[in-house]
PDB file of all heavy atoms in Angstrom:
ATOM      1  N   LYS U 300      49.485   8.098 -35.949  1.00 99.00           N
ATOM      2  CA  LYS U 300      49.607   8.692 -37.305  1.00 99.00           C
ATOM      3  C   LYS U 300      49.817   7.546 -38.330  1.00 99.00           C
ATOM      4  O   LYS U 300      50.793   6.778 -38.226  1.00 99.00           O
ATOM      5  CB  LYS U 300      50.822   9.679 -37.340  1.00 99.00           C
ATOM      6  CG  LYS U 300      51.135  10.189 -38.753  1.00 99.00           C
ATOM      7  CD  LYS U 300      52.280  11.189 -38.711  1.00 99.00           C
ATOM      8  CE  LYS U 300      52.771  11.556 -40.105  1.00 99.00           C
ATOM      9  NZ  LYS U 300      53.906  12.479 -40.148  1.00 99.00           N
ATOM     10  N   ASP U 305      54.803   9.349 -47.055  1.00 99.00           N
ATOM     11  CA  ASP U 305      54.826  10.821 -47.010  1.00 99.00           C
ATOM     12  C   ASP U 305      55.820  11.357 -48.029  1.00 99.00           C
ATOM     13  O   ASP U 305      57.026  11.413 -47.779  1.00 99.00           O
ATOM     14  CB  ASP U 305      55.206  11.263 -45.600  1.00 99.00           C
ATOM     15  CG  ASP U 305      55.264  12.778 -45.451  1.00 99.00           C
ATOM     16  OD1 ASP U 305      54.752  13.472 -46.393  1.00 99.00           O
ATOM     17  OD2 ASP U 305      55.791  13.255 -44.428  1.00 99.00           O
ATOM     18  N   GLY U 307      55.579  14.341 -48.932  1.00 98.00           N
ATOM     19  CA  GLY U 307      55.638  15.817 -48.635  1.00 98.00           C
ATOM     20  C   GLY U 307      54.455  16.499 -49.364  1.00 98.00           C
ATOM     21  O   GLY U 307      54.070  17.604 -49.028  1.00 98.00           O
ATOM     22  N   LYS U 312      59.316  16.453 -50.758  1.00 98.00           N
ATOM     23  CA  LYS U 312      60.565  16.266 -50.073  1.00 98.00           C
ATOM     24  C   LYS U 312      61.728  16.017 -51.010  1.00 98.00           C
ATOM     25  O   LYS U 312      61.472  15.554 -52.178  1.00 98.00           O
ATOM     26  CB  LYS U 312      60.409  14.950 -49.217  1.00 98.00           C
ATOM     27  CG  LYS U 312      59.559  15.073 -47.974  1.00 98.00           C
ATOM     28  CD  LYS U 312      59.550  13.815 -47.191  1.00 98.00           C
ATOM     29  CE  LYS U 312      58.712  13.918 -45.935  1.00 98.00           C
ATOM     30  NZ  LYS U 312      59.188  14.842 -44.957  1.00 98.00           N
ATOM     31  N   ASP U 323      56.279   6.347 -42.170  1.00 99.00           N
ATOM     32  CA  ASP U 323      55.475   7.406 -41.603  1.00 99.00           C
ATOM     33  C   ASP U 323      54.116   6.956 -41.012  1.00 99.00           C
ATOM     34  O   ASP U 323      53.299   7.734 -40.561  1.00 99.00           O
ATOM     35  CB  ASP U 323      55.252   8.560 -42.620  1.00 99.00           C
ATOM     36  CG  ASP U 323      55.258   9.933 -42.028  1.00 99.00           C
ATOM     37  OD1 ASP U 323      55.702  10.072 -40.853  1.00 99.00           O
ATOM     38  OD2 ASP U 323      54.763  10.857 -42.647  1.00 99.00           O
ATOM     39  N   ASN U 355      50.305  10.839 -48.477  1.00 99.00           N
ATOM     40  CA  ASN U 355      50.471  12.261 -48.706  1.00 99.00           C
ATOM     41  C   ASN U 355      51.295  12.349 -50.024  1.00 99.00           C
ATOM     42  O   ASN U 355      52.442  12.089 -50.062  1.00 99.00           O
ATOM     43  CB  ASN U 355      51.261  12.877 -47.544  1.00 99.00           C
ATOM     44  CG  ASN U 355      51.444  14.358 -47.742  1.00 99.00           C
ATOM     45  OD1 ASN U 355      50.665  15.028 -48.425  1.00 99.00           O
ATOM     46  ND2 ASN U 355      52.472  14.936 -47.104  1.00 99.00           N
ATOM     47  N   THR U 381      52.522  21.574 -47.131  1.00 99.00           N
ATOM     48  CA  THR U 381      51.761  20.343 -47.215  1.00 99.00           C
ATOM     49  C   THR U 381      52.541  19.178 -46.609  1.00 99.00           C
ATOM     50  O   THR U 381      52.037  18.061 -46.444  1.00 99.00           O
ATOM     51  CB  THR U 381      51.372  19.998 -48.644  1.00 99.00           C
ATOM     52  OG1 THR U 381      52.578  19.757 -49.448  1.00 99.00           O
ATOM     53  CG2 THR U 381      50.558  21.084 -49.296  1.00 99.00           C
ATOM     54  N   ASP U 382      53.823  19.395 -46.326  1.00 99.00           N
ATOM     55  CA  ASP U 382      54.653  18.312 -45.677  1.00 99.00           C
ATOM     56  C   ASP U 382      54.409  18.283 -44.172  1.00 99.00           C
ATOM     57  O   ASP U 382      54.872  17.348 -43.529  1.00 99.00           O
ATOM     58  CB  ASP U 382      56.113  18.574 -46.033  1.00 99.00           C
ATOM     59  CG  ASP U 382      56.956  17.326 -45.781  1.00 99.00           C
ATOM     60  OD1 ASP U 382      56.391  16.245 -45.540  1.00 99.00           O
ATOM     61  OD2 ASP U 382      58.219  17.434 -45.837  1.00 99.00           O
ATOM     62  N   ALA U 383      53.769  19.269 -43.647  1.00 99.00           N
ATOM     63  CA  ALA U 383      53.395  19.157 -42.201  1.00 99.00           C
ATOM     64  C   ALA U 383      51.974  18.559 -42.134  1.00 99.00           C
ATOM     65  O   ALA U 383      51.011  19.197 -41.733  1.00 99.00           O
ATOM     66  CB  ALA U 383      53.467  20.521 -41.542  1.00 99.00           C
ATOM     67  N   GLU U 384      51.901  17.307 -42.647  1.00 99.00           N
ATOM     68  CA  GLU U 384      50.550  16.681 -42.828  1.00 99.00           C
ATOM     69  C   GLU U 384      50.131  15.860 -41.656  1.00 99.00           C
ATOM     70  O   GLU U 384      48.939  15.606 -41.438  1.00 99.00           O
ATOM     71  CB  GLU U 384      50.635  15.793 -44.092  1.00 99.00           C
ATOM     72  CG  GLU U 384      51.152  14.395 -43.923  1.00 99.00           C
ATOM     73  CD  GLU U 384      52.600  14.334 -43.453  1.00 99.00           C
ATOM     74  OE1 GLU U 384      53.337  15.317 -43.678  1.00 99.00           O
ATOM     75  OE2 GLU U 384      53.019  13.278 -42.950  1.00 99.00           O
TER      76      GLU U 384
HETATM   77 MN1   MN T 631      55.518  15.350 -43.960  1.00 97.68          MN
END
Side-chain angles (χ1 to χ4, degrees):
K300 172 178 172 182
D305 181 13
K312 287 183 179 293
D323 214 18
N355 183 25
T381 63
D382 197 11
E384 84 297 340

